[in-house]
Amino acid sequence: MQILIRLEVWGFLFFFFFFFGPFMCLNCDLNMEGQIWFLPRSLQLSSFQAYKLRVTHLYQLKQHSILVSIGEDEEGINPLVKVWNLEKRDGGNPLCTRIFPAIPGNKPTVVSCLTVHENLNFMAIGFADGSVVLTKGDITRDRHSKTQILHEGSYPITGLAFRQSGKTTHLFVVTTENIQSYMLSVKDYPHLELDTHGCGLRCSSLSDPSQDLQFIVAGNECVYLYQPDERGPCFAFEGQKLIVHWYRGYLIIVSKDRKTSSKSEFAGNEAQNSDKQVLNIYDLCNKFIAYSSIFDDIVDVLAEWGSLYVLTRDGKIHVLQEKDTQTKLEMLFRKNLFEMAINLAKSHHLDSDGLSEIFRQYGDHLYNKGNHDGAIQQYIRTIGKLEPSYVIRKFLDAQRIHNLTAYLQMLHLQSLANADHTTLLLNCYTKLKDSSKLEEFIKTSESEVHFDVETAIKVLRQAGYYSHAVYLAEKHEHHEWYLKIQLEDIKNYQEALHYIGKLPFEQAESNMKRYGKILMHHVPKETTELLKILCTDYRPSGGNEGPGMLEGKKANSEEFIPVFANNSRELKAFLEHMTEVQADSPQGVYDTLLELRLQNWAHEQDEQIKEKLHNEALTLLKSGRFKTVFDKALVLCQMHNFKDGVLYLYEQGKLFQQIMHYHMQNEQYKKVIEVCELYGDQEACLWEQALSYFARKEENCKEYIAAVLKHIENKNLMPPLLVVQTLAHNSTATLSVIKDYLVNKLQKQSRQIEQDEQRIQKYREETMRIRLEIEELKASPKIFQKTKCSICTSALELPSVHFLCGHSFHQHCFESYSESDSECPTCMPENRKVMDMIRAQEQKRDLHDQFQHQLKCSNDGFSVVADYFGRGVFNKLTLITDLPSGKTATTIEAGLQRELLIHTKRST
């Protein structure tokens, strides 16, 4: 039995007026005049004559302007069914579109009830003899419909109702003894008996969709609800039921009340004892009595224009209007019936903001009563509408932390939490030391809970829940936080290194640069191996390869050299590995490896190992990787006193003087001579520097001086006077040292003088001969007798060209080979050499005279010499000539210049 709370949500407004005609609605009492009356909202009555005798039943469709009536035109004749179209008129009256007799076959009987389907395709008429006639098709036309007997029985039909669910149509049939359901959408109309008790006339109705279109049958003890295939819930409402209606989610029941009332609600002031009728309006969904009152002799309860009208036998109409939702809720709030208010609001489809306000008030009520658990459940239902801080402030007390935790959990589940809420929730977990809840929260899938992951990691780390923070960082790929916790808090260096190896290339590279020194300090071997992979052919471990990782990537190995601070052994292994597998490694790798090998070599005490390190360093230098950084490699070798490396780099850089000076500093005399022999042809001044070096030595270096003088003599590198002056600085060098050199030099000069005198005599004779030829040419004619061209050696043909020197040419040969019209092509090269020599002598003579004059007149003779030296006056001048004596002349000229320079220095 359902216990219902009485709540007056319907208000009685006023007595309407005395009324002397039937109300045009679903059913009406017997009308003996045969008229149908209309009462519009303007309250202006109108009527028309529908039958000659009486109207027994009316049914007006809700969705169509169609009225179906049953009445009698003649006494003793079976009643007629008439269908009226209220929108069309026939002589001022509604148009009657169809008339047919309401009889089950040929048996005369009384009509007990009438119902019409809203789709105008079904109409059912119940009779007192227990039969039901079904009209299928267009009920407004005769030829488009078919009438048949659907049900036959021995008990009067007391109620009919159509139920439409999708494409399925059912007809409920209730008698005084049973209830049946017919399926009209299937051929042969199968039926099912739902119950073995029935009800009286007007004691059944069909609910609306809020109660799933259930068929309501009111017995004297209970009210039953039925589905087409089963019986539903029942409600124990006492009293003999007279009328049952369903209106907007309310069940309206008129029943007899045999209790004696001291004062009727609508009676006079005097008490009376009589049978009263009680009008009850039930809200079955929310389980309360919406209205209850006692009336005298209710004819019917009618629903129209948003109100309920109670028609009583004394000719009065009472109107009941439903109070608005807000008023209902306020009544419930005053009685602290918040659950009922919530159900009422939902049934009235109150918006979410309105519901949230009810939940808030309910929560406040429970909170003030001290029911914090119940209050937090109501506050949870306000999430999304009520500001979370309103609730959080109420439960910040440590004793209510469980309630606060529940609220914050739901806030996260609905993805409405911010970073502060996440921080607060995790702090609640840590304060409660509820590891299971904490794990459940952080291990929930992202689709279920949304929170600020970084904030959660910070809070967990601060609270000391490192394993949870690490899990969260790994799950959400916050790599920096994962590594920071592993390395700084947990000190699990091995796991951190393994995690880096699973990251994509860019992230692995950046994290190794950031944490490489820490990892190298604690797990040097494993870190070095990972760096080798990272800088050669990196692919993430653990199957994290994406489409872009099919080809391995490699980092710049030079950038990771600082990681190996104070780990020279691992650094050497790393650098050697890089140079072996990648010949094109960055230059910094080779530079660092060279420096490392030189350091190891310099500090090694074992001779065998030192020799091995020496060879390794020299091999690296000879690899050709230091051409662009020659100076840097040289500095490294000099810093570590790596002699062979320095000499090798000097040689590669063609720094021959530096090589010789290096041996000079170490007083390696034989090496000095070797350097001169090896590189003297490329740089002749090496011999001169060697002579000066040995000349400054006070030791007995006659052997080395003799070797140098011999080479100087053979190559004619220095004037004898300069040699003598150079050796004059050596106290141990006697005349015997340079005796052979001077004798050989004087002999060569004597031979050269003889050759020069012979050449002079030859030039004189040649000059006399030329002069004679010139005189002859001036005094006598020249006969050209040559028959062949001096160029092509072919026979001469006119036109031809002849020169006084005796050469003749074809004109076309002359034009092709001659550079000047006035010079013989054959004699021109020799003549040009002679002219160049003459001009050179003239220039030398003029320059010598000018130099001597300025040198004598100047107060600063050194500046004059420096000026002429800068202008290139003292540079060697070489004349290109085929004469074998040309080289000798040039050498003599160079010697003269040098002697002149030395003489000038002495004068200064």
Side-chain angles (χ1 to χ4, degrees):
M1 177 176 178
Q2 299 287 346
I3 300 176
L4 302 181
I5 297 174
R6 179 168 176 174
L7 183 67
E8 299 287 340
V9 299
W10 285 83
F12 174 76
L13 295 183
F14 54 86
F15 290 100
F16 189 67
F17 58 88
F18 292 98
F19 178 56
F20 300 100
F23 208 80
M24 196 279 294
C25 196
L26 299 180
N27 294 297
C28 68
D29 283 345
L30 189 64
N31 183 352
M32 301 302 295
E33 299 177 356
Q35 289 185 332
I36 296 178
W37 293 79
F38 295 95
L39 178 63
R41 198 160 192 173
S42 61
L43 306 180
Q44 299 295 324
L45 281 170
S46 62
S47 65
F48 72 95
Q49 191 72 35
Y51 296 89
K52 295 179 180 180
L53 293 182
R54 63 182 63 86
V55 179
T56 59
H57 294 80
L58 288 177
Y59 192 97
Q60 181 181 4
L61 279 77
K62 298 177 181 179
Q63 301 176 9
H64 304 276
S65 295
I66 300 295
L67 175 65
V68 179
S69 63
I70 299 177
E72 297 177 3
D73 283 337
E74 297 181 22
E75 207 53 71
I77 303 298
N78 288 328
L80 296 176
V81 178
K82 294 184 179 182
V83 180
W84 308 89
N85 189 336
L86 302 180
E87 292 183 349
K88 297 181 180 181
R89 294 292 172 176
D90 181 14
N93 297 329
L95 176 63
C96 182
T97 61
R98 183 181 182 187
I99 301 175
F100 63 94
I103 55 172
N106 296 321
K107 298 182 295 181
T109 183
V110 177
V111 175
S112 59
C113 52
L114 166 69
T115 186
V116 181
H117 200 292
E118 288 293 330
N119 62 11
L120 301 179
N121 287 328
F122 293 102
M123 179 170 59
I125 304 173
F127 297 90
D129 65 351
S131 59
V132 176
V133 173
L134 176 68
T135 301
K136 184 178 181 181
D138 189 353
I139 63 171
T140 62
R141 301 175 184 273
D142 288 324
R143 60 180 180 178
H144 293 294
S145 63
K146 180 181 179 182
T147 301
Q148 65 183 85
I149 297 176
L150 177 67
H151 172 80
E152 289 183 335
S154 56
Y155 304 109
I157 304 299
T158 58
L160 297 171
F162 287 107
R163 182 184 189 274
Q164 185 71 37
S165 177
K167 296 183 179 180
T168 304
T169 304
H170 287 88
L171 175 63
F172 291 101
V173 178
V174 58
T175 68
T176 56
E177 299 297 332
N178 60 17
I179 303 170
Q180 301 188 54
S181 168
Y182 284 83
M183 183 180 292
L184 305 182
S185 303
V186 181
K187 189 177 181 181
D188 297 334
Y189 308 135
H191 68 280
L192 176 66
E193 185 174 15
L194 302 177
D195 215 333
T196 56
H197 62 81
C199 67
L201 280 173
R202 305 170 66 187
C203 290
S204 63
S205 181
L206 189 71
S207 69
D208 58 19
S210 65
Q211 284 293 329
D212 199 19
L213 297 175
Q214 297 186 92
F215 187 56
I216 301 171
V217 176
N220 290 334
E221 299 297 331
C222 295
V223 174
Y224 300 91
L225 278 68
Y226 296 91
Q227 294 284 356
D229 54 352
E230 63 180 352
R231 190 178 80 175
C234 68
F235 299 89
F237 300 148
E238 297 180 355
Q240 181 182 355
K241 312 303 186 295
L242 302 177
I243 300 173
V244 173
H245 285 300
W246 184 268
Y247 173 68
R248 291 186 179 179
Y250 293 104
L251 176 62
I252 303 167
I253 297 179
V254 177
S255 58
K256 286 185 178 182
D257 183 17
R258 297 190 177 276
K259 296 180 180 179
T260 302
S261 177
S262 60
K263 186 176 180 180
S264 177
E265 186 174 353
F266 300 111
N269 295 329
E270 297 181 2
Q272 57 181 2
N273 294 326
S274 63
D275 291 339
K276 300 292 184 180
Q277 293 179 353
V278 181
L279 172 64
N280 288 317
I281 302 178
Y282 300 100
D283 188 334
L284 299 184
C285 180
N286 299 309
K287 307 295 189 297
F288 66 86
I289 301 174
Y291 182 80
S292 179
S293 183
I294 299 175
F295 292 87
D296 292 328
D297 295 330
I298 298 176
V299 175
D300 204 348
V301 179
L302 310 171
E304 199 66 41
W305 310 316
S307 302
L308 288 177
Y309 296 89
V310 181
L311 178 61
T312 58
R313 188 69 61 183
D314 57 4
K316 297 178 181 178
I317 290 181
H318 310 276
V319 61
L320 298 176
Q321 284 191 343
E322 186 177 8
K323 296 177 181 178
D324 60 89
T325 303
Q326 190 60 39
T327 303
K328 298 177 187 178
L329 294 177
E330 290 174 358
M331 295 169 60
L332 292 171
F333 293 157
R334 286 195 296 269
K335 297 182 179 183
N336 294 327
L337 300 175
F338 291 98
E339 286 290 349
M340 188 173 294
I342 292 169
N343 295 332
L344 179 65
K346 289 181 178 179
S347 64
H348 284 70
H349 305 290
L350 196 65
D351 59 12
S352 56
D353 292 332
L355 283 172
S356 177
E357 179 62 21
I358 298 174
F359 296 145
R360 184 196 65 79
Q361 293 186 37
Y362 192 16
D364 292 345
H365 171 71
L366 295 175
Y367 182 85
N368 294 330
K369 290 176 61 178
N371 185 2
H372 298 122
D373 293 338
I376 202 66
Q377 294 302 320
Q378 298 306 316
Y379 287 135
I380 286 174
R381 301 169 79 176
T382 67
I383 292 177
K385 298 298 180 181
L386 182 63
E387 175 60 37
S389 60
Y390 177 87
V391 180
I392 293 173
R393 282 195 298 265
K394 290 179 177 289
F395 293 90
L396 284 177
D397 192 339
Q399 296 180 354
R400 302 167 189 168
I401 194 171
H402 292 86
N403 304 125
L404 180 59
T405 303
Y407 180 80
L408 292 171
Q409 284 177 337
M410 189 58 63
L411 202 63
H412 282 80
L413 283 173
Q414 297 188 22
S415 306
L416 296 174
N418 56 29
D420 294 332
H421 299 150
T422 301
T423 303
L424 188 56
L425 176 59
L426 293 175
N427 282 326
C428 290
Y429 285 141
T430 55
K431 293 292 183 182
L432 293 172
K433 300 186 182 301
D434 193 345
S435 299
S436 60
K437 283 288 186 181
L438 183 59
E439 288 187 6
E440 181 182 353
F441 175 75
I442 67 174
K443 292 182 180 181
T444 306
S445 63
E446 294 183 19
S447 60
E448 297 178 8
V449 178
H450 297 273
F451 56 89
D452 191 306
V453 177
E454 188 170 357
T455 301
I457 294 173
K458 290 179 182 178
V459 175
L460 292 171
R461 185 188 183 197
Q462 186 177 6
Y465 285 80
Y466 301 125
S467 59
H468 297 79
V470 164
Y471 170 83
L472 208 56
E474 182 177 10
K475 177 183 177 181
H476 296 275
E477 298 183 354
H478 284 257
H479 309 308
E480 294 182 4
W481 280 108
Y482 179 91
L483 295 173
K484 187 178 293 185
I485 297 171
Q486 287 282 21
L487 296 175
E488 298 179 7
D489 301 322
I490 304 178
K491 310 294 185 182
N492 192 344
Y493 306 102
Q494 192 73 38
E495 184 62 30
L497 187 65
H498 177 68
Y499 183 82
I500 293 177
K502 297 188 295 183
L503 298 178
F505 171 76
E506 290 78 9
Q507 297 173 356
E509 181 185 22
S510 63
N511 283 293
M512 282 304 295
K513 291 178 181 177
R514 180 175 301 176
Y515 302 109
K517 290 184 179 180
I518 299 176
L519 294 170
M520 184 61 67
H521 179 71
H522 294 89
V523 281
K525 183 177 179 180
E526 293 81 355
T527 304
T528 303
E529 292 300 320
L530 179 57
L531 286 174
K532 289 179 181 180
I533 298 173
L534 187 64
C535 297
T536 52
D537 186 18
Y538 179 77
R539 290 182 175 86
S541 61
N544 292 332
E545 298 184 11
M549 293 302 297
L550 296 178
E551 296 183 2
K553 296 183 178 180
K554 58 182 180 180
N556 186 350
S557 53
E558 185 177 2
E559 297 177 354
F560 292 97
I561 292 176
V563 171
F564 293 89
N566 302 323
N567 289 274
S568 58
R569 184 176 62 182
E570 286 75 15
L571 176 59
K572 182 180 179 183
F574 172 72
L575 296 176
E576 289 178 348
H577 173 78
M578 294 307 303
T579 55
E580 289 175 4
V581 300
Q582 287 185 4
D584 59 343
S585 294
Q587 185 61 42
V589 172
Y590 288 92
D591 296 344
T592 308
L593 181 59
L594 175 62
E595 183 178 3
L596 198 61
R597 287 183 175 179
L598 291 175
Q599 287 179 354
N600 295 338
W601 172 81
H603 295 88
E604 184 58 49
Q605 301 297 327
D606 192 323
E607 291 299 329
Q608 293 183 351
I609 300 177
K610 192 177 185 71
E611 181 65 22
K612 180 181 177 182
L613 295 173
H614 174 278
N615 295 333
E616 289 178 353
L618 195 59
T619 302
L620 183 60
L621 278 175
K622 294 180 179 180
S623 64
R625 296 292 306 184
F626 299 92
K627 293 180 180 180
T628 57
V629 288
F630 173 83
D631 295 339
K632 186 175 182 179
L634 183 59
V635 170
L636 289 174
C637 292
Q638 290 173 342
M639 287 174 57
H640 296 88
N641 196 24
F642 189 58
K643 169 185 168 183
D644 292 344
V646 172
L647 294 177
Y648 172 76
L649 292 173
Y650 281 159
E651 181 180 358
Q652 292 299 110
K654 299 187 182 301
L655 302 176
F656 306 127
Q657 293 189 33
Q658 281 79 353
I659 296 176
M660 190 170 68
H661 285 309
Y662 180 85
H663 293 307
M664 288 178 178
Q665 290 175 357
N666 293 299
E667 297 185 351
Q668 296 175 337
Y669 302 148
K670 290 184 179 180
K671 292 290 184 180
V672 172
I673 299 299
E674 290 177 3
V675 170
C676 292
E677 290 175 349
L678 288 173
Y679 311 116
D681 294 339
Q682 303 179 46
E683 196 164 346
C685 65
L686 293 178
W687 290 104
E688 300 175 13
Q689 294 177 10
L691 182 62
S692 299
Y693 170 73
F694 289 122
R696 290 193 298 270
K697 290 294 181 180
E698 296 300 327
E699 302 174 10
N700 188 3
C701 300
K702 294 180 180 180
E703 178 185 356
Y704 303 110
I705 294 174
V708 173
L709 288 176
K710 182 178 180 181
H711 192 85
I712 290 175
E713 179 187 357
N714 293 335
K715 299 294 184 177
N716 196 20
L717 298 177
M718 296 176 64
L721 183 59
L722 185 59
V723 172
V724 173
Q725 291 177 347
T726 302
L727 293 176
H729 297 86
N730 192 329
S731 60
T732 61
T734 60
L735 185 61
S736 61
V737 177
I738 60 173
K739 175 183 176 182
D740 294 338
Y741 169 76
L742 292 175
V743 171
N744 292 334
K745 196 67 175 175
L746 290 173
Q747 290 177 352
K748 286 183 180 180
Q749 288 183 354
S750 297
R751 288 193 296 268
Q752 184 66 37
I753 291 171
E754 292 177 358
Q755 292 176 0
D756 291 343
E757 290 178 348
Q758 292 175 2
R759 189 177 292 110
I760 291 171
Q761 184 62 33
K762 179 181 176 181
Y763 285 159
R764 286 175 178 174
E765 293 175 354
E766 183 69 20
T767 303
M768 289 300 295
R769 185 183 62 79
I770 292 174
R771 286 176 178 175
L772 291 175
E773 287 183 0
I774 293 173
E775 293 296 331
E776 184 180 356
L777 289 174
K778 290 180 179 180
S780 60
K782 178 70 174 178
I783 300 173
F784 299 100
Q785 296 180 346
K786 285 200 175 184
T787 60
K788 292 184 178 181
C789 177
S790 299
I791 294 178
C792 65
T793 67
S794 300
L796 284 174
E797 297 179 357
L798 296 177
S800 59
V801 178
H802 304 277
F803 284 90
L804 294 177
C805 61
H807 296 108
S808 299
F809 309 93
H810 293 113
Q811 184 175 0
H812 63 272
C813 291
F814 174 75
E815 292 175 351
S816 300
Y817 291 93
S818 176
E819 296 180 4
S820 175
D821 295 341
S822 59
E823 294 188 34
C824 174
T826 303
C827 300
M828 184 176 62
E830 188 66 24
N831 294 337
R832 184 167 295 175
K833 291 179 183 179
V834 176
M835 294 303 294
D836 291 340
M837 292 175 65
I838 294 172
R839 283 193 296 271
Q841 290 175 357
E842 291 177 352
Q843 291 177 358
K844 290 291 183 179
R845 182 182 60 194
D846 296 339
L847 187 62
H848 177 73
D849 296 341
Q850 183 180 1
F851 174 72
Q852 291 293 338
H853 175 71
Q854 291 185 4
L855 190 62
K856 291 178 181 180
C857 298
S858 176
N859 295 327
D860 187 2
F862 182 79
S863 63
V864 175
V865 175
D867 179 54
Y868 274 82
F869 185 83
R871 290 157 58 184
V873 172
F874 303 112
N875 292 342
K876 293 182 180 180
L877 179 64
T878 302
L879 296 178
I880 301 176
T881 176
D882 294 335
L883 294 176
S885 59
K887 183 175 181 180
T888 304
T890 304
T891 306
I892 294 173
E893 188 66 31
L896 291 175
Q897 290 182 5
R898 183 165 296 186
E899 290 176 0
L900 179 61
L901 178 60
I902 294 173
H903 177 73
T904 304
K905 289 181 179 180
R906 287 182 177 179
S907 299
T908 305

